[in-house]
Amino acid sequence: KDVLDFLISLTEDNFALVQISAVKALGEFGDERAIPALENLTKGDRFDRLKRAAEDSIKQIYTWLDTDIESYRVTEEVRRKMEEKQKDL
């Protein structure tokens, strides 16, 4: 396992402080492959501090992201739907 995989696995740890530390480390690591795991942490019934840390790490990785995460998600969903429609043509 490499460092990225190890950090991603720690985001599912039973202890919130371990999760938050892993999330912050992923942001520092700056690898886009961490985005799906970080996105997952921003959804559902999660600890608010963990959600905010995940959002901050996403913004740290995507330095061009100067808007809120919800706007980013909507934009990504629209992009995916457009790509699907183009495949159907």
Side-chain angles (χ1 to χ4, degrees), residues 65-76:
L65 185 62
D66 59 356
T67 187
D68 65 282
I69 295 296
E70 193 56 38
S71 296
Y72 161 73
R73 282 194 196 111
V74 169
T75 302
E76 284 297 300

Side-chain angles (χ1 to χ4, degrees), residues 1-88:
K1 266 185 154 177
D2 67 1
V3 174
L4 180 68
D5 290 334
F6 180 68
L7 289 173
I8 289 172
S9 72
L10 289 178
T11 65
E12 297 299 326
D13 194 88
N14 292 329
F15 296 100
L17 290 177
V18 172
Q19 290 177 306
I20 291 169
S21 296
V23 164
K24 288 181 178 181
L26 287 168
E28 292 289 325
F29 202 69
D31 193 316
E32 289 184 8
R33 293 176 293 170
I35 294 294
L38 294 170
E39 274 282 321
N40 188 44
L41 293 172
T42 65
K43 300 172 185 169
D45 189 26
R46 302 276 185 173
F47 180 48
D48 284 340
R49 189 169 163 204
L50 178 60
K51 284 182 178 182
R52 283 192 307 273
E55 289 176 355
D56 290 344
S57 289
I58 291 170
K59 290 178 183 178
Q60 197 170 3
I61 293 169
Y62 285 159
T63 55
W64 49 264
L65 185 62
D66 59 356
T67 187
D68 65 282
I69 295 296
E70 193 56 38
S71 296
Y72 161 73
R73 282 194 196 111
V74 169
T75 302
E76 284 297 300
E77 183 63 26
V78 168
R79 184 187 59 77
R80 280 188 217 116
K81 286 182 180 181
M82 288 177 62
E83 287 177 356
E84 288 173 12
K85 288 190 184 254
Q86 285 179 347
K87 287 179 184 177
D88 292 341

